[in-house]
Amino acid sequence: MYSRTTSRKRSIIILFVIIIGLFATAYYRNQKESVVNQSQNLLLAVVSPIQKGVNSVISPFRRAGDYVVFQKELIADNRDLRAENGQLIHRVRELKKYESENKRLRVLANFRRKTPFKTTAARVVSQSPSSWQSLLTIDTGSKGGIKKGMAVISDKGLVGKVTKVTARASLVQLIDDRHSGVAVELGKTGSTAVVEGSIDGTLKLRFLPDDEKIVVGDKVLTSGKGGIFPRGLLVGRVAKISKSVYSIEKLINIKSPVNFKRVSEILIITTTPVGKDLQ
Amino acid sequence: MSRNVRYILVLTIAFICQATIVPFVSIGAARPDIVLIAIATFGFIDGPVAGAVGGFFGGLLQDLVAAGSLGLTALAKTLTGYISGQAERTILGSSLLLPVVVIAGISVISQIIYVGLAFLMGEPVNFGAALRVVVFPSAAYTALVSVPVFPYISRLLSSQRQSKVFK
C-alpha cells in the first residue's frame, strides 16, 4: 500500500519535471541570449559551412545521378520539342507567306475595284527561262477568257501584254523585253512617244520631239494608240536624260514602278471602260 | 535503259530545270543554260551528230516556251552541239577544269550565234550591251553550274562506255 502511493507520487513528480523542463526549454529558446539559443547558434555556425562544402561536392554527383536517371526522358523530351519547334517555325513561315500574299491580294483587289477596266486576275507561275526574253508565264489561259494581245497590269502600273495563250496558261511579254514597244504620252504635255525595252532590261523613251521639255520625274502614260494598251496606264517616270555622241536623239531612261522580277499577281484587262473587247 | 532513252531523259530533265528552276536563280539578265550543258555533254561523248541532234531538239523546246522567233534557239543550239562534238573524246577523262572552260566558251559561241541570227532576221540588237549584260555573265554562270551538273550528266550517259567516263 505504501509502495503503491510512493510510486504514484514519483510518477506525478516526474511528469511535472518533464512539463517544467519543456516550458523551460521553450522559454530559453525564445531568449536570444539564452544558453540553448547560443549553443544552437554556435552549432549552426560550425556546421553550416561544413554542410555547404559537402553539399557543393555532392550536388553535381546528385545532378549527374538525376541526369542518368532521367536521361532517356530528357532525350525524348528534347526530340519532341525539337520536332515541335521545327513545325512551329515552318508554320510561322507559312503564316508570314500567307500574310504577305494576303496583303498583296488585298491591294490588287482594291485596285481592281477602282480600275475602270474589266479585268481577270492571274498568278505568275514562272519567269523567262532565257536571258534574251523578258516573259512571265501566268496560270490563266483561254478557258479564263484570256486572248492574245490583252494588256497586263498590276496595282503599280503597266506590266506587258499577252503574247501566247493556251487553255490554262499564257505567256506575257513584259514591257522591258527588247521586242516590246508601247505607245505613250507624257503626263505633263501630252506629247507622244514610244517606250521600248532593251537587252539590259532598261526602258527607253524614243521618238520624242527634239524641242520637248522633259525633266526627271515626269510621268509617262500609255497613249492608247496602237490598240493594245488602253489610254492612261502608268508606264513609269523619267529616270535619266542624257545625250549620245552617236545619235541626235536624247537618251531617256524610264523607271517602271513595277518590279518585274518580283511581280507575282497581275490583272489582265479583258475589256475597256466602254465594254469594248480589246481583241 | 537504252542509250537513246537516256539521251531523251537527260534533255527533258535539263529542259524542265531550265524552264522551272533557272528563272528563280537568275542574276540580272544572266541565267545558266542547263540545256546547253546537256547538249555539250552529248557532243563530248558521242560527237558532232549527237550534239547537233540534241541541240536541235533542246533549242526547239526552248523556242516553244518562249515568245521569240520559232527556230532561232534551235538553230543556234544545233550549231553549238555540232561545235561541241568536235571536242569528242578529247574532253572526257581530263580534269574538270577543261570541260568547264570549254562549256563557258561554247556558251559564248551559242549566244553570239543567237544574237547574230536575231540581227540577220531584222531584230534590233545592241551588240555591246548584249555581250556585257547577257553573253559573258551567262557564260560564266553556265560554267559555274556545269561544275556539279556536267560530271553527273557525263556519268549518266557514259555508263556503257566506261573508258570515256569523266573522273
Side-chain angles (χ1 to χ4, degrees), chain A:
Chain A
M1 186 73 186
Y2 168 78
S3 63
R4 192 181 282 180
T5 312
T6 312
S7 155
R8 189 179 285 172
K9 277 180 185 173
R10 244 184 229 162
S11 301
I12 290 165
I13 287 163
I14 288 166
L15 187 67
F16 271 108
V17 168
I18 289 169
I19 290 167
I20 288 163
L22 284 173
F23 275 116
T25 309
Y27 173 76
Y28 279 112
R29 256 179 215 279
N30 289 331
Q31 298 295 310
K32 278 184 182 171
E33 302 298 322
S34 70
V35 177
V36 174
N37 210 6
Q38 277 180 355
S39 312
Q40 200 177 20
N41 288 345
L42 184 68
L43 198 66
L44 272 175
V46 174
V47 172
S48 67
I50 300 167
Q51 281 179 324
K52 200 177 170 186
V54 171
N55 187 46
S56 66
V57 173
I58 288 175
S59 61
F61 293 103
R62 203 159 63 187
R63 278 202 293 270
D66 288 349
Y67 179 75
V68 172
V69 172
F70 297 115
Q71 193 188 19
K72 279 186 182 174
E73 222 171 288
L74 284 170
I75 290 169
D77 283 354
N78 190 276
R79 195 177 50 228
D80 292 349
L81 288 169
R82 272 171 193 267
E84 198 177 339
N85 192 34
Q87 281 170 355
L88 288 171
I89 288 170
H90 181 71
R91 185 91 185 116
V92 167
R93 270 193 209 134
E94 287 269 297
L95 288 172
K96 275 186 182 168
K97 198 179 87 183
Y98 288 135
E99 190 186 357
S100 87
E101 190 177 285
N102 188 284
K103 268 185 198 166
R104 287 200 311 269
L105 291 173
R106 217 180 269 253
V107 169
L108 201 67
N110 281 338
F111 174 72
R112 196 178 174 187
R113 267 195 294 273
K114 283 181 205 161
T115 189
F117 313 110
K118 195 175 174 194
T119 58
T120 297
R123 195 181 291 264
V124 175
V125 291
S126 182
Q127 300 261 343
S128 173
S130 163
S131 300
W132 300 106
Q133 283 146 351
S134 203
L135 303 167
L136 295 177
T137 307
I138 57 170
D139 66 352
T140 311
S142 57
K143 291 205 170 178
I146 308 303
K147 290 175 186 169
K148 190 178 171 184
M150 284 180 168
V152 178
I153 55 172
S154 79
D155 58 304
K156 292 191 172 72
L158 184 66
V159 172
K161 66 177 177 187
V162 177
T163 51
K164 203 178 270 185
V165 183
T166 64
R168 287 189 177 81
S170 306
L171 277 184
V172 175
Q173 182 190 55
L174 300 174
I175 56 169
D176 69 341
D177 185 272
R178 68 193 167 96
H179 297 105
S180 167
V182 183
V184 295
E185 61 185 14
L186 295 179
K188 208 161 63 180
T189 60
S191 297
T192 55
V194 173
V195 167
E196 289 182 348
S198 61
I199 282 172
D200 57 7
T202 54
L203 297 171
K204 317 268 186 201
L205 186 68
R206 300 199 59 201
F207 312 119
L208 194 71
D210 282 344
D211 56 347
E212 183 68 32
K213 283 178 184 162
I214 185 168
V215 291
V216 171
D218 278 358
K219 258 188 189 178
V220 179
L221 307 163
T222 50
S223 66
K225 290 171 183 164
I228 290 175
F229 303 108
R231 193 178 178 199
L233 297 171
L234 180 66
V235 177
R237 285 176 185 274
V238 175
K240 191 180 163 192
I241 306 163
S242 54
K243 282 251 175 194
S244 168
V245 286
Y246 305 109
S247 168
I248 52 167
E249 209 181 5
K250 283 181 206 163
L251 297 175
I252 304 163
N253 284 8
I254 304 296
K255 170 91 177 147
S256 169
V258 182
N259 184 345
F260 298 116
K261 291 234 179 257
R262 296 185 69 89
V263 66
S264 48
E265 290 92 17
I266 47 102
L267 294 176
I268 302 123
I269 299 176
T270 50
T271 57
T272 59
V274 288
K276 187 185 165 196
D277 200 330
L278 282 166
Q279 277 291 304

Side-chain angles (χ1 to χ4, degrees), chain B residues 6-56:
Chain B
R6 252 181 234 197
Y7 271 66
I8 291 167
L9 199 68
V10 166
L11 199 60
T12 309
I13 293 169
F15 167 71
I16 289 168
C17 289
Q18 188 71 31
T20 53
I21 300 165
V22 167
F24 296 100
V25 295
S26 62
I27 302 170
R31 288 171 174 83
D33 196 338
I34 297 170
V35 174
L36 182 113
I37 298 170
I39 292 161
T41 317
F42 293 174
F44 295 162
I45 292 172
D46 265 338
V49 174
V53 172
F56 173 75

Side-chain angles (χ1 to χ4, degrees), chain B residues 12 18 32 46 63 66 80 83 103 110 133-134 137 141 144 152 167:
Chain B
T12 309
Q18 188 71 31
D46 265 338
D63 275 336
T80 310
I83 293 165
I103 285 171
S110 167
V133 179
V134 180
Y141 204 170
L144 189 73
Y152 187 75
K167 285 167 188 167

